[in-house]
Amino acid sequence: MLKSARNQQKDPEGRMPLAAHLRELRNRLLKSVLAILVVTVVAMWQYDPIAHFITGPTIAAVGCPKGGVSAGGQPHPCAEIVANGFIAPFTIMLKLSLTVGLVAASPLWLYQLWAFLAPGLHKHEKKYALSFVAAGAPLFLGGAYLAYAVLPTTAGALVGLTPSDWSNLFPADDFFDIVTRMVLVFGLSFELPLLLVLLNFGGVLTGKRVLSWWRFMVLGITIFAAVATPTGDPLTMSLLAAPIVLLYFGAVGICLFNDRRRRLANPDRELADDEASELDLTPTDIEAIEPVAPTRMLPEQADGDGTKDGRRGYDDVT
């Protein structure tokens, strides 16, 4: 059932009817979902150490040591993570395990996504398939790790706004919801430069056009970071926007390099369909002309000495 529909088609250019495309999409989605579910089950089996791994840095940053009193004897804002509700531990385990499955299985579902899109490219462009998958998985995991790394700092900044005579309780389900959103937002945001490079290699966008959008891209990335971050604080927003902006300019450099490589291979590549290419009008030397012997006359046209009326020449047929 999960056999790829493209293995059954004979068109060398990868053309298929709509029904075959839908079957191919279904098969790719099923493979991705199965991979995520397998990793999710493994995460449920290792739920306790995974939960401590995720909450440990935040508890170390904002946890309440000995009733909320610091080593110097001065009270300070702190927080405790609590499970609020009878079935809260079970739902939290499901959410956390599913998040781990989605992140850990990202190389597999990214490959399925690329395998579905790659046949639409030319044959010489398909060789970049593994390169894009190899770059996409580390980018997603890098964004997820950045979200995990900045979460304690974000929590410390927010808890620091609490008055000294207040206390904070972090419901565990809300806490893991924030962790899930931050991991997905940071991870998917880091895929933006890869998408731009993919469109450039596919011939949809040029490096100059992508570079001309830099003002709008920087503004859009900043607005996106402000809206997408669950906490909404400037620190987390800046920590999300800055790496994406750097990755965007890195993608612009790759696109410009790829355009230069294509121009060297084909100088007429960027010409419009109704635009004539430049002609090489440099004069060249003409080789020596080879002499051509005249055609022999027909026997009945020649005199005895090989001439016609005393003159050599071409026959009437010639």
Side-chain angles (χ1 to χ4, degrees):
M1 180 182 67
L2 297 181
K3 185 177 181 180
S4 175
R6 289 197 176 94
N7 295 333
Q8 304 174 5
Q9 55 86 24
K10 302 298 182 181
D11 195 326
E13 297 184 2
R15 291 189 293 261
M16 290 191 303
L18 178 60
H21 277 292
L22 293 177
R23 287 194 298 270
E24 178 71 13
L25 178 61
R26 179 200 62 188
N27 293 341
R28 298 293 180 186
L29 288 176
L30 285 176
K31 293 177 181 179
S32 301
V33 171
L34 286 177
I36 294 174
L37 289 179
V38 169
V39 181
T40 300
V41 172
V42 176
M44 293 176 66
W45 180 48
Q46 297 291 328
Y47 165 68
D48 192 71
I50 292 176
H52 286 293
F53 173 77
I54 294 177
T55 60
T58 302
I59 293 177
V62 300
C64 296
K66 297 181 181 180
V69 179
S70 63
Q74 298 296 327
H76 67 91
C78 62
E80 294 182 0
I81 299 178
V82 296
N84 187 14
F86 182 72
I87 63 172
F90 178 72
T91 57
I92 293 169
M93 180 180 66
L94 290 180
K95 291 180 181 180
L96 180 60
S97 301
L98 184 60
T99 302
V100 174
L102 187 63
V103 173
S106 59
L108 298 176
W109 58 261
L110 282 174
Y111 171 77
Q112 294 299 326
L113 175 62
W114 174 256
F116 179 74
L117 299 176
L121 302 177
H122 298 289
K123 289 183 178 180
H124 68 279
E125 294 171 334
K126 295 179 182 179
K127 63 183 180 180
Y128 300 108
L130 294 179
S131 300
F132 279 108
V133 174
L139 284 175
F140 184 86
L141 295 176
Y145 178 78
L146 179 62
Y148 171 77
V150 303
L151 186 60
T153 305
T154 303
L158 294 178
V159 172
L161 302 177
T162 306
S164 58
D165 55 345
W166 290 11
S167 61
N168 293 279
L169 294 178
F170 287 173
D173 50 352
D174 292 343
F175 176 79
F176 285 119
D177 284 343
I178 292 177
V179 172
T180 301
R181 288 178 56 189
M182 290 186 63
V183 166
L184 294 180
V185 167
F186 277 57
L188 294 177
S189 299
F190 274 43
E191 299 293 331
L192 172 63
L194 184 63
L195 177 62
L196 295 177
V197 174
L198 175 62
L199 294 176
N200 176 260
F201 275 70
V204 180
L205 294 176
T206 62
K208 291 183 178 178
R209 173 166 294 185
V210 176
L211 180 60
S212 65
W213 296 344
W214 74 269
R215 295 180 180 86
F216 302 100
M217 291 296 294
V218 172
L219 178 61
I221 290 172
T222 304
I223 296 176
F224 169 78
V227 174
T229 50
T231 56
D233 61 289
L235 177 61
T236 307
M237 181 193 72
S238 302
L239 291 175
L240 173 61
I244 300 178
V245 171
L246 294 178
L247 289 174
Y248 161 73
F249 283 107
V252 169
I254 295 176
C255 294
L256 292 175
F257 176 80
N258 184 54
D259 291 343
R260 181 177 180 275
R261 179 186 62 83
R262 285 178 171 176
R263 283 195 301 269
L264 294 178
N266 183 10
D268 300 332
R269 180 181 180 88
E270 298 182 356
L271 295 178
D273 295 337
D274 56 350
E275 185 178 358
S277 60
E278 296 184 1
L279 299 178
D280 187 5
L281 303 179
T282 305
T284 57
D285 296 334
I286 301 177
E287 299 179 356
I289 301 176
E290 180 182 357
V292 180
T295 307
R296 295 177 60 85
M297 294 180 294
L298 298 176
E300 60 270 17
Q301 294 177 328
D303 296 335
D305 58 354
T307 64
K308 182 179 181 180
D309 299 331
R311 295 177 287 108
R312 291 186 179 273
Y314 297 97
D315 55 46
D316 294 337
V317 178
T318 307

